[in-house]
Amino acid sequence: LFGCGLCKKRFRSEKFLDLHLERKHNDTLAMDKECLANMCDVVRCPSWAGTTRKQVNSGAVTCRTADLLPRKQYCERILRDCVSAPNGSTTHAGRELVLALNASFCTKIRCDWRQRCYGPKEPRLEDDCDPLSPREDSHWVYYTLLIIAALLILAVVCVCICIQEEEELRPPPKRLSEPQPAVIGSGSEYHQSI
């Protein structure tokens, strides 16, 4: 479910949430709308990382620093605009935040970083690559473990079914005849004594 952060109403799909925001809260939405998908190269979305890895490994697209420079400048501008006050001033803490975010995002928009982190070699820890940059050739481990787990579950179910069927097919054990309660006197004796 998708929830509206302004009125807490919930929707089944993102499409209906978007329509709701446009109809009911349009006055509170930012006027300079930016699609976050346009920033995937800045924040390194998983889909973008997969595509970039394929391009770097196949050599289909040659990375040129001149092509990346506008994206790097765009990233730096967004960080400055996000942290600075409306009059353009920034506090010391704001400048420190911009420097830290710049080191995490904007400085990595370089051809050498992409080649090192998304190239055919496994990146080293000191390469400052994304810690969770999944490689497509590592999915076999996940699928192998998934298949082993499914087989184990299947085996346990089969054993349980076999045990249950064996119990159903086994004849019931013969019961020893239960001892009859001892009768002390008859009912007629009881009535006579009264």
Side-chain angles (χ1 to χ4, degrees):
L1 290 177
F2 296 86
C4 175
L6 300 171
C7 67
K8 306 301 182 214
K9 195 170 180 181
R10 299 178 70 82
F11 300 91
R12 291 184 186 199
S13 73
E14 190 175 5
K15 173 186 163 189
F16 292 117
L17 173 62
D18 289 342
L19 291 172
H20 165 77
L21 289 171
E22 287 177 15
R23 282 186 283 126
K24 300 293 183 181
H25 306 294
N26 199 26
D27 56 332
T28 59
L29 297 177
M31 296 309 290
D32 56 339
K33 297 175 184 174
E34 175 73 33
C35 179
L36 293 178
N38 294 338
M39 298 190 57
C40 273
D41 62 330
V42 174
V43 294
R44 296 182 299 281
C45 302
S47 61
W48 174 87
T51 303
T52 302
R53 179 171 290 115
K54 287 177 186 174
Q55 291 173 346
V56 169
N57 289 329
S58 70
V61 177
T62 305
C63 184
R64 294 182 5 195
T65 304
D67 294 338
L68 292 180
L69 186 58
R71 295 304 290 168
K72 184 176 180 181
Q73 292 168 343
Y74 174 70
C75 176
E76 291 168 349
R77 188 181 80 242
I78 287 174
L79 291 179
R80 279 193 311 272
D81 292 349
C82 183
V83 174
S84 64
N87 64 1
S89 65
T90 307
T91 64
H92 175 70
R95 285 189 294 276
E96 293 293 320
L97 178 62
V98 167
L99 288 173
L101 291 173
N102 188 30
S104 293
F105 295 105
C106 304
T107 59
K108 294 180 179 181
I109 302 176
R110 299 186 328 259
C111 291
D112 64 325
W113 186 87
R114 288 183 181 187
Q115 182 63 39
R116 193 173 60 246
C117 294
Y118 293 114
K121 292 183 180 177
E122 190 70 33
R124 300 181 312 258
L125 290 176
E126 61 269 12
D127 282 339
D128 192 30
C129 296
D130 296 330
L132 298 175
S133 56
R135 294 193 165 269
E136 277 135 34
D137 58 349
S138 66
H139 291 302
W140 69 270
V141 174
Y142 171 75
Y143 290 122
T144 303
L145 291 175
L146 188 63
I147 290 171
I148 290 172
L151 289 174
L152 285 173
I153 291 171
L154 184 63
V156 168
V157 168
C158 287
V159 167
C160 290
I161 290 172
C162 288
I163 290 173
Q164 185 178 6
E165 285 184 8
E166 183 180 308
E167 288 177 359
E168 288 176 1
L169 293 176
R170 188 180 307 154
K174 292 183 179 179
R175 293 186 181 179
L176 298 174
S177 59
E178 294 181 16
Q180 297 293 328
V183 177
I184 304 175
S186 64
S188 58
E189 295 172 353
Y190 177 74
H191 291 294
Q192 288 177 357
S193 61
I194 294 182

